[in-house]
Amino acid sequence: MTHCFFCFPPCSPHIRKHISLNSAQSCGNTRVSVMMMPRKISLLTHLLLLFQHLLPLTLSLLHPPHHPPIHIPALVHHTPKPLTRSSFSAHTQLDFNTHCNSSCFHRGEQDDWRKQLTEKLAFETLYADGSRTLTMVDVEGDDHDLEEDAGFLPNMLSWRGSAVKLRHRRIRRQIYGADGRFNIRGDNFLLDYPFSTAVRISTGCTGVLVSQQHVLTAAHCVHDGKDYVKGAQRLRVGFLIPPSINSTQADLNLAVKPLVRWVRVRRTRVPKGWIQGPQEVSMDFDYALLELRWPHRRPFMRLSVAPSLDDLAGNRIHFSGFDSDRPGELVYRFCAVEEESSDLIYQHCDARPGASGSGVYGRVWDNSLERWERKVIGIFSGHQWLEIDGENRDYNVAVRITPLKFAQICYWLHGNRVDCSHD
């Protein structure tokens, strides 16, 4: 017998037919313990994924939001300056953890915040031959517009005390209660959007395809804040190949795990906000963009400025990654957003080291297409302890894509600012 756990939305009659509830639990927005044979687990997985595919149809029937277009700031990039070659002396830190107190939430209130922000938006470019450059950035617009573009929220964090359950002791790192993750297997899912957008990073992390030649990941997967990690000099991106391709029936009967096709990275871009540290501050800039040597043929996921909780469909985020405790497997999870700051998304999605760099996506309203679309709104970073009013609060954290970060990443993708409107 195989014991697996999933987190379901309110139960429908179709789901109720295929699961057996624990006597101590009820059908609703809660975690459900399921006991069944392995072949029935596949059926349950199909049902859950079917729900995910039918969700857009349900959302399209809802009254669409009416919000003005998001203003994307204009970034002025200076001529890149050459830097000395990296020594590639750092070690990859897959289990990324930080601690933050209330002082972390008032960084935008400093008198020189505009200067500090432009310094953090400067970026390094690392090339395949080991050379690197520094590009300084200016932001056009007055201070009021820049505050909005930076994504500043009232009081930085709007904690809802009744919605947050304090956890002073961890059972398993980055796993909250019953494990709500499940593996993605089979050609129909591994090569199906959105799971096909998840890729492996050779340093042990995950990334997400955001163009035909670019991968978004976490900065700490390639740089520790002081130097590039050893594996960054010959960085590669891995594409999963389902076992049914070039496999015999005997191999399939043995449940062969997917193969990986590796592609070299041409150049890597990391914001100075990450490189400057310290980590509890630079976590806001824990993202990097990798440019592949040649284009791929798989679907990619478009970027979006992260909406507020009220504008995120279902208040849910999703991401798929290569968690270290399930080697060779693509692992999917989803959960509700619990809190947000100007730069971070706080949640209790179950995750393990190796999931860092996963593209965090949600369903956001696309004004140009007039429908709900899956879009990358953040990058999974790691774990953070928050000390608020003398109490420790425990969260997994993703970096929010603010208008300024969107403009920066978009410039990395296109090489100009003309193509960087929000939609």
Side-chain angles (χ1 to χ4, degrees):
M1 299 288 284
T2 300
H3 196 188
C4 57
F5 295 87
F6 299 93
C7 183
F8 285 100
C11 291
S12 68
H14 297 289
I15 294 179
R16 196 177 290 116
K17 286 173 56 181
H18 297 284
I19 63 175
S20 58
L21 298 178
N22 190 304
S23 59
Q25 296 174 315
S26 62
C27 198
N29 192 15
T30 184
R31 296 189 182 276
V32 179
S33 176
V34 183
M35 296 289 293
M36 51 177 52
M37 295 300 290
R39 65 180 183 86
K40 292 188 178 181
I41 294 176
S42 177
L43 175 61
L44 186 59
T45 301
H46 280 67
L47 287 172
L48 187 56
L49 293 176
L50 179 61
F51 168 78
Q52 295 296 319
H53 284 288
L54 291 178
L55 185 60
L57 179 60
T58 304
L59 293 173
S60 66
L61 299 177
L62 301 177
H63 187 66
H66 292 284
H67 297 291
I70 296 176
H71 174 257
I72 301 301
L75 302 184
V76 180
H77 297 81
H78 296 231
T79 302
K81 297 181 180 180
L83 300 174
T84 58
R85 296 173 67 90
S86 171
S87 60
F88 300 98
S89 61
H91 295 277
T92 307
Q93 185 181 358
L94 297 182
D95 196 2
F96 185 55
N97 298 276
T98 59
H99 183 277
C100 185
N101 54 33
S102 59
S103 64
C104 296
F105 311 135
H106 300 284
R107 295 190 293 273
E109 300 177 4
Q110 301 174 10
D111 294 337
D112 60 345
W113 65 268
R114 183 186 180 107
K115 178 182 177 182
Q116 290 189 17
L117 185 60
T118 55
E119 289 176 350
K120 288 178 170 59
L121 288 172
F123 59 90
E124 282 192 12
T125 302
L126 174 68
Y127 296 90
D129 62 0
S131 62
R132 59 192 181 114
T133 60
L134 172 64
T135 304
M136 301 303 296
V137 174
D138 289 329
V139 185
E140 294 182 346
D142 57 31
D143 287 353
H144 176 72
D145 291 338
L146 188 54
E147 285 183 6
E148 294 184 351
D149 296 336
F152 290 159
L153 300 175
N155 299 323
M156 301 303 288
L157 274 171
S158 55
W159 296 109
R160 295 180 293 277
S162 60
V164 179
K165 181 180 180 181
L166 300 184
R167 290 170 170 82
H168 299 281
R169 183 178 64 88
R170 299 295 299 274
I171 299 175
R172 295 170 58 196
R173 183 161 302 282
Q174 297 179 331
I175 301 295
Y176 297 87
D179 193 338
R181 304 169 297 162
F182 63 93
N183 299 344
I184 302 300
R185 294 173 178 169
D187 299 8
N188 294 336
F189 294 130
L190 286 175
L191 295 181
D192 191 21
Y193 184 89
F195 306 116
S196 59
T197 65
V199 292
R200 292 178 59 180
I201 309 299
S202 58
T203 54
C205 292
T206 302
V208 59
L209 300 172
V210 292
S211 85
Q212 291 184 336
Q213 204 166 348
H214 293 89
V215 175
L216 189 63
T217 188
H220 76 260
C221 296
V222 296
H223 196 291
D224 74 344
K226 298 180 180 179
D227 195 9
Y228 290 91
V229 301
K230 293 181 178 180
Q233 189 169 14
R234 297 182 179 275
L235 195 61
R236 299 175 298 163
V237 169
F239 292 77
L240 287 189
I241 302 176
S244 64
I245 300 178
N246 298 327
S247 297
T248 65
Q249 185 62 41
D251 293 332
L252 296 179
N253 293 336
L254 294 175
V256 178
K257 293 182 179 180
L259 302 176
V260 181
R261 178 175 63 88
W262 294 98
V263 177
R264 290 288 299 274
V265 172
R266 178 171 174 260
R267 60 183 173 184
T268 302
R269 281 171 164 160
V270 181
K272 287 290 287 183
W274 169 258
I275 296 174
Q276 291 176 344
Q279 287 185 338
E280 63 269 15
V281 174
S282 61
M283 192 178 199
D284 298 348
F285 295 85
D286 187 14
Y287 58 93
L289 190 74
L290 317 180
E291 181 179 336
L292 305 177
R293 281 196 168 183
W294 50 79
H296 61 84
R297 296 182 179 180
R298 298 197 178 182
F300 59 87
M301 192 175 297
R302 297 168 63 197
L303 297 172
S304 172
V305 173
S308 64
L309 294 183
D310 295 335
D311 298 329
L312 181 64
N315 190 28
R316 283 183 176 173
I317 57 172
H318 315 245
F319 60 96
S320 300
F322 297 92
D323 301 46
S324 58
D325 63 335
R326 302 187 184 183
E329 299 281 3
L330 179 63
V331 184
Y332 166 75
R333 77 234 67 200
F334 66 93
C335 68
V337 176
E338 308 245 356
E339 302 292 347
E340 61 180 344
S341 72
S342 297
D343 288 283
L344 300 176
I345 299 172
Y346 294 88
Q347 31 76 24
H348 286 147
C349 282
D350 294 325
R352 294 285 288 163
S356 294
S358 299
V360 174
Y361 63 92
R363 296 186 185 276
V364 297
W365 182 256
D366 190 305
N367 287 326
S368 61
L369 299 176
E370 296 186 348
R371 68 188 184 197
W372 296 89
E373 286 281 303
R374 293 186 187 93
K375 292 187 179 180
V376 177
I377 61 173
I379 305 94
F380 180 66
S381 178
H383 171 258
Q384 187 173 85
W385 282 99
L386 294 177
E387 185 179 343
I388 306 296
D389 298 328
E391 295 179 305
N392 284 327
R393 307 186 183 201
D394 180 24
Y395 292 96
N396 282 336
V397 178
V399 179
R400 296 181 76 231
I401 298 181
T402 64
L404 278 170
K405 294 172 186 175
F406 180 92
Q408 182 186 57
I409 298 171
C410 187
Y411 176 83
W412 293 346
L413 291 172
H414 299 286
N416 63 72
R417 61 183 185 179
V418 177
D419 299 324
C420 293
S421 63
H422 184 236
D423 288 329

